[in-house]
PDB file of all heavy atoms in Angstrom:
ATOM      1  N   HIS A  47     -23.507  70.112  -2.000  1.00 98.00           N
ATOM      2  CA  HIS A  47     -24.535  69.783  -1.007  1.00 98.00           C
ATOM      3  C   HIS A  47     -25.085  68.360  -1.153  1.00 98.00           C
ATOM      4  O   HIS A  47     -25.844  68.058  -2.057  1.00 98.00           O
ATOM      5  CB  HIS A  47     -25.718  70.766  -1.077  1.00 98.00           C
ATOM      6  CG  HIS A  47     -26.574  70.684   0.158  1.00 98.00           C
ATOM      7  ND1 HIS A  47     -26.314  71.403   1.302  1.00 98.00           N
ATOM      8  CD2 HIS A  47     -27.635  69.908   0.433  1.00 98.00           C
ATOM      9  CE1 HIS A  47     -27.195  71.085   2.222  1.00 98.00           C
ATOM     10  NE2 HIS A  47     -28.022  70.173   1.739  1.00 98.00           N
ATOM     11  N   ASP A  49     -26.859  65.266   1.395  1.00 96.00           N
ATOM     12  CA  ASP A  49     -27.412  64.933   2.698  1.00 96.00           C
ATOM     13  C   ASP A  49     -27.100  63.503   3.119  1.00 96.00           C
ATOM     14  O   ASP A  49     -27.765  62.939   3.990  1.00 96.00           O
ATOM     15  CB  ASP A  49     -28.938  65.157   2.696  1.00 96.00           C
ATOM     16  CG  ASP A  49     -29.262  66.642   2.755  1.00 96.00           C
ATOM     17  OD1 ASP A  49     -28.713  67.318   3.635  1.00 96.00           O
ATOM     18  OD2 ASP A  49     -30.051  67.119   1.918  1.00 96.00           O
ATOM     19  N   GLU A 145     -25.876  72.999   7.582  1.00 98.00           N
ATOM     20  CA  GLU A 145     -27.058  73.508   6.875  1.00 98.00           C
ATOM     21  C   GLU A 145     -28.084  74.096   7.842  1.00 98.00           C
ATOM     22  O   GLU A 145     -29.077  73.469   8.165  1.00 98.00           O
ATOM     23  CB  GLU A 145     -27.699  72.400   6.025  1.00 98.00           C
ATOM     24  CG  GLU A 145     -28.778  72.948   5.105  1.00 98.00           C
ATOM     25  CD  GLU A 145     -29.490  71.853   4.320  1.00 98.00           C
ATOM     26  OE1 GLU A 145     -29.327  70.668   4.628  1.00 98.00           O
ATOM     27  OE2 GLU A 145     -30.219  72.223   3.394  1.00 98.00           O
ATOM     28  N   HIS A 172     -32.368  77.277   7.738  1.00 96.00           N
ATOM     29  CA  HIS A 172     -32.945  76.170   6.965  1.00 96.00           C
ATOM     30  C   HIS A 172     -34.395  76.540   6.613  1.00 96.00           C
ATOM     31  O   HIS A 172     -34.621  77.724   6.304  1.00 96.00           O
ATOM     32  CB  HIS A 172     -32.834  74.824   7.733  1.00 96.00           C
ATOM     33  CG  HIS A 172     -33.123  73.642   6.852  1.00 96.00           C
ATOM     34  ND1 HIS A 172     -34.173  72.805   7.058  1.00 96.00           N
ATOM     35  CD2 HIS A 172     -32.504  73.216   5.710  1.00 96.00           C
ATOM     36  CE1 HIS A 172     -34.209  71.892   6.092  1.00 96.00           C
ATOM     37  NE2 HIS A 172     -33.208  72.113   5.266  1.00 96.00           N
ATOM     38  N   PHE A 173     -35.315  75.602   6.644  1.00 94.00           N
ATOM     39  CA  PHE A 173     -36.695  75.902   6.255  1.00 94.00           C
ATOM     40  C   PHE A 173     -37.398  76.900   7.188  1.00 94.00           C
ATOM     41  O   PHE A 173     -38.410  77.496   6.822  1.00 94.00           O
ATOM     42  CB  PHE A 173     -37.532  74.613   6.211  1.00 94.00           C
ATOM     43  CG  PHE A 173     -37.286  73.747   4.999  1.00 94.00           C
ATOM     44  CD1 PHE A 173     -37.391  72.371   5.091  1.00 94.00           C
ATOM     45  CD2 PHE A 173     -36.999  74.310   3.747  1.00 94.00           C
ATOM     46  CE1 PHE A 173     -37.184  71.572   3.984  1.00 94.00           C
ATOM     47  CE2 PHE A 173     -36.792  73.505   2.644  1.00 94.00           C
ATOM     48  CZ  PHE A 173     -36.893  72.128   2.767  1.00 94.00           C
ATOM     49  N   HIS A 213     -31.620  78.722   1.068  1.00 97.00           N
ATOM     50  CA  HIS A 213     -32.663  78.640   2.122  1.00 97.00           C
ATOM     51  C   HIS A 213     -33.034  79.983   2.722  1.00 97.00           C
ATOM     52  O   HIS A 213     -34.094  80.099   3.323  1.00 97.00           O
ATOM     53  CB  HIS A 213     -32.250  77.712   3.284  1.00 97.00           C
ATOM     54  CG  HIS A 213     -32.469  76.261   2.989  1.00 97.00           C
ATOM     55  ND1 HIS A 213     -33.717  75.698   2.948  1.00 97.00           N
ATOM     56  CD2 HIS A 213     -31.605  75.255   2.705  1.00 97.00           C
ATOM     57  CE1 HIS A 213     -33.598  74.406   2.671  1.00 97.00           C
ATOM     58  NE2 HIS A 213     -32.342  74.106   2.501  1.00 97.00           N
ATOM     59  N   HIS A 234     -27.057  75.106  -2.701  1.00 98.00           N
ATOM     60  CA  HIS A 234     -28.006  74.236  -3.436  1.00 98.00           C
ATOM     61  C   HIS A 234     -29.288  74.996  -3.727  1.00 98.00           C
ATOM     62  O   HIS A 234     -30.289  74.841  -3.044  1.00 98.00           O
ATOM     63  CB  HIS A 234     -28.232  72.913  -2.707  1.00 98.00           C
ATOM     64  CG  HIS A 234     -28.781  73.023  -1.301  1.00 98.00           C
ATOM     65  ND1 HIS A 234     -28.239  73.823  -0.351  1.00 98.00           N
ATOM     66  CD2 HIS A 234     -29.838  72.397  -0.694  1.00 98.00           C
ATOM     67  CE1 HIS A 234     -28.911  73.710   0.794  1.00 98.00           C
ATOM     68  NE2 HIS A 234     -29.910  72.838   0.601  1.00 98.00           N
ATOM     69  N   ARG A 245     -37.176  78.901  -2.713  1.00 97.00           N
ATOM     70  CA  ARG A 245     -35.850  78.328  -2.472  1.00 97.00           C
ATOM     71  C   ARG A 245     -34.867  78.665  -3.584  1.00 97.00           C
ATOM     72  O   ARG A 245     -33.664  78.514  -3.429  1.00 97.00           O
ATOM     73  CB  ARG A 245     -35.965  76.804  -2.307  1.00 97.00           C
ATOM     74  CG  ARG A 245     -36.221  76.334  -0.921  1.00 97.00           C
ATOM     75  CD  ARG A 245     -35.007  76.463  -0.023  1.00 97.00           C
ATOM     76  NE  ARG A 245     -34.020  75.423  -0.318  1.00 97.00           N
ATOM     77  CZ  ARG A 245     -32.911  75.608  -1.013  1.00 97.00           C
ATOM     78  NH1 ARG A 245     -32.603  76.794  -1.504  1.00 97.00           N
ATOM     79  NH2 ARG A 245     -32.083  74.620  -1.223  1.00 97.00           N
ATOM     80  N   ASP A 350     -28.028  68.290  -3.931  1.00 97.00           N
ATOM     81  CA  ASP A 350     -28.992  67.906  -2.910  1.00 97.00           C
ATOM     82  C   ASP A 350     -29.274  66.398  -2.938  1.00 97.00           C
ATOM     83  O   ASP A 350     -30.340  65.942  -2.539  1.00 97.00           O
ATOM     84  CB  ASP A 350     -30.321  68.690  -3.036  1.00 97.00           C
ATOM     85  CG  ASP A 350     -30.948  69.043  -1.693  1.00 97.00           C
ATOM     86  OD1 ASP A 350     -30.529  68.458  -0.677  1.00 97.00           O
ATOM     87  OD2 ASP A 350     -31.869  69.878  -1.658  1.00 97.00           O
TER      88      ASP A 350
HETATM   89 ZN1   ZN B   1     -31.497  72.175   1.882  1.00 64.01          ZN
END
Side-chain angles (χ1 to χ4, degrees):
H47 195 88
D49 285 310
E145 190 184 11
H172 193 244
F173 282 148
H213 279 287
H234 59 309
R245 271 287 284 103
D350 216 346

